[in-house]
């Protein structure tokens, strides 16, 4: 799965504008929902969080936070104490 994710990131880094980039993003997002049944999350700083079935959360973001066209990199990886099926979200939209 990681190799497939890295290939997708390379494709986004090569071209992330226009209709075909949106179609590619939708296609890739559909794959992610099958990882654990958990929702993914994009925060206000454009960091994208993905949970897997083992309770590992990986955060992705732009290499240069001030440039949306910069390459995407893994920002953080952390393991939750117990396996989860999603990130809890309160009504005021805080995690």
């Amino acid at each position: 799965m990681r190799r497939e994710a890295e290939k997708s990131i390379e494709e986004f880094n090569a071209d992330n504008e226009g209709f075909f980039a949106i179609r590619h993003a939708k296609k890739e997002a559909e794959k992610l929902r099958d990882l654990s049944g958990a929702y993914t999350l994009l925060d206000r700083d454009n960091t994208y969080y993905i949970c897997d079935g083992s309770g590992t959360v990986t955060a992705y973001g732009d290499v240069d936070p001030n440039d949306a066209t910069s390459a995407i990199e893994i920002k953080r990886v952390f393991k939750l104490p117990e396996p989860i099926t999603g990130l809890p979200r309160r009504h005021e939209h805080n995690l």
Side-chain angles (χ1 to χ4, degrees):
M1 183 72 168
R2 182 167 295 272
R3 187 170 24 159
E4 193 173 322
E6 289 172 356
K7 180 179 183 259
S8 181
I9 289 169
E10 287 176 16
E11 291 175 17
F12 280 117
N13 286 339
D15 181 17
N16 65 359
E17 293 186 29
F19 171 77
F20 291 107
I22 292 169
R23 193 173 99 193
H24 178 228
K26 181 181 182 303
K27 179 181 164 192
E28 294 302 302
E30 288 172 352
K31 292 178 189 176
L32 297 174
R33 76 174 166 213
D34 296 332
L35 285 176
S36 67
Y39 288 103
T40 59
L41 174 83
L42 180 66
D43 73 10
R44 68 178 179 190
D45 300 318
N46 290 323
T47 303
Y48 190 57
Y49 296 88
I50 301 172
C51 298
D52 68 17
S54 70
T56 300
V57 178
T58 306
Y60 296 89
D62 291 308
V63 170
D64 179 354
N66 297 314
D67 181 4
T69 64
S70 70
I72 298 168
E73 67 179 353
I74 295 175
K75 296 289 190 178
R76 295 177 289 288
V77 177
F78 52 95
K79 180 86 170 157
L80 298 171
E82 297 179 20
I84 63 164
T85 58
L87 293 171
R89 190 175 71 144
R90 300 186 316 210
H91 70 278
E92 66 273 3
H93 306 290
N94 293 324
L95 293 176

